Amino acid sequence: MQSNGHIEQAIGLLRQKGLAQAGKKADRVTEQGAICSYIHSGGRVGVLIEINCETDFVARNEEFQTFAREIALHIAGSVPSPQYVRKEDAPTDVANEICLMEMPFIKDPSVTIGDMVTQKIAKMGENIVIRRFTRYQLGEA
Amino acid sequence: MQSNGHIEQAIGLLRQKGLAQAGKKADRVTEQGAICSYIHSGGRVGVLIEINCETDFVARNEEFQTFAREIALHIAGSVPSPQYVRKEDAPTDVANEICLMEMPFIKDPSVTIGDMVTQKIAKMGENIVIRRFTRYQLGEA
């Protein structure tokens, strides 16, 4: 049992180190990435998203592509719909619940979209930025 | 040969009648339709488009869906990129060449996108409106 404790401690330290390194990567330039779309409800909702990373190598990686699709799915399906990527992009009187990075992920509300980005930076070793998105709902004003 | 002439004349009259009826349908309310996307160049360009029609029946029709996809493909691939749907949406000093409805279709420059919409209204018997689109290019300012 003592060795299990050591393993858990080691995992915890590695995780902290990974996330700390993710924080350091957050200022690095991201000029590559992917434009990804998600069409929902038989064509009644659609999302277009741009997610950036540092290299074309990561951009073409299947894990990165899947990540982009998951974020697009979240934007399509979540209620309320996100209106801004970051709270810094929103007017000061806007609730955090419509800022994408602050929202609990629709498929796993224990993490926010911002947490998921940080985890993906730690895992893939490159800065990753959700740059912009557009969400269309059929017939909305 | 005389009967061929009659047939051509009849086709011409039917075509005129269809387009005239298309003109009459252009004011009818369009609250149905489809959100459609097109991703180009391995994820470096993406388009999201909303095209409206009058009934869910036409919206689900494969011909309508294919039409929406063709317009999205045009927006993704054409140079210059369209910035507005209609010239009425654009500032008065903007060139018609960046207004989608005025542009020659990328796959058949003998017709404009506006012509294609009119023809589709005549063929499908419902008003059809390109409502809005968004085009993302990776890393653009």
Side-chain angles (χ1 to χ4, degrees):
Chain A
M1 295 316 265
Q2 199 184 355
S3 65
N4 272 355
H6 283 138
I7 289 168
E8 278 164 23
Q9 199 179 6
I11 290 172
L13 285 171
L14 283 172
R15 191 164 182 277
Q16 278 173 25
K17 196 179 163 195
L19 295 178
Q21 285 177 336
K24 284 184 201 159
K25 292 187 176 84
D27 290 329
R28 294 199 336 208
V29 175
T30 52
E31 289 179 337
Q32 295 298 321
I35 315 287
C36 176
S37 67
Y38 186 81
I39 303 290
H40 198 57
S41 307
R44 298 185 77 85
V45 173
V47 170
L48 192 67
I49 187 170
E50 177 175 355
I51 302 197
N52 294 142
C53 57
E54 296 176 41
T55 64
D56 193 50
F57 179 77
V58 161
R60 290 171 185 274
N61 183 293
E62 195 175 318
E63 184 172 343
F64 182 84
Q65 297 275 339
T66 303
F67 181 66
R69 187 167 304 272
E70 290 280 84
I71 304 297
L73 176 151
H74 172 90
I75 296 166
S78 62
V79 179
S81 297
Q83 305 288 318
Y84 304 93
V85 176
R86 276 159 287 272
K87 60 184 177 196
E88 301 87 82
D89 305 335
T92 46
D93 58 341
V94 156
N96 278 350
E97 66 178 356
I98 60 165
C99 298
L100 178 64
M101 295 289 275
E102 310 299 318
M103 294 176 82
F105 181 40
I106 194 169
K107 285 177 155 183
D108 175 7
S110 74
V111 289
T112 65
I113 302 296
D115 292 336
M116 288 170 64
V117 171
T118 304
Q119 287 166 10
K120 203 54 78 176
I121 294 171
K123 186 158 180 208
M124 304 202 78
E126 280 198 6
N127 191 15
I128 292 170
V129 174
I130 301 176
R131 178 144 178 240
R132 50 181 175 167
F133 66 86
T134 296
R135 182 185 189 278
Y136 283 177
Q137 183 146 354
L138 188 68
E140 70 192 340
Chain B
M1 298 312 267
Q2 200 182 356
S3 66
N4 271 357
H6 282 138
I7 290 169
E8 277 165 26
Q9 199 179 8
I11 290 173
L13 286 170
L14 282 172
R15 190 163 183 277
Q16 277 173 26
K17 195 180 165 196
L19 294 180
Q21 286 177 335
K24 284 183 199 159
K25 292 187 175 85
D27 289 330
R28 293 196 338 205
V29 175
T30 52
E31 289 179 337
Q32 295 297 322
I35 315 287
C36 175
S37 68
Y38 186 80
I39 303 290
H40 198 58
S41 306
R44 299 186 77 85
V45 174
V47 170
L48 192 67
I49 187 169
E50 179 176 354
I51 302 196
N52 294 142
C53 57
E54 296 175 41
T55 65
D56 193 48
F57 179 76
V58 161
R60 288 169 186 273
N61 182 293
E62 195 175 319
E63 184 172 342
F64 182 83
Q65 297 276 340
T66 302
F67 180 66
R69 187 166 303 272
E70 289 280 84
I71 304 297
L73 175 150
H74 171 89
I75 296 165
S78 62
V79 178
S81 297
Q83 305 289 319
Y84 304 93
V85 177
R86 278 159 287 270
K87 59 185 178 198
E88 301 86 83
D89 304 335
T92 47
D93 58 342
V94 157
N96 278 351
E97 67 178 356
I98 59 166
C99 298
L100 179 64
M101 294 289 275
E102 311 299 319
M103 293 175 82
F105 180 40
I106 194 169
K107 285 177 154 183
D108 174 7
S110 73
V111 290
T112 65
I113 302 296
D115 292 337
M116 289 170 64
V117 171
T118 304
Q119 287 165 11
K120 203 55 78 177
I121 294 171
K123 185 157 180 211
M124 303 202 79
E126 280 198 5
N127 191 15
I128 293 170
V129 174
I130 300 176
R131 178 145 178 239
R132 53 182 172 167
F133 66 87
T134 297
R135 182 186 190 278
Y136 282 178
Q137 182 146 355
L138 188 68
E140 71 192 340

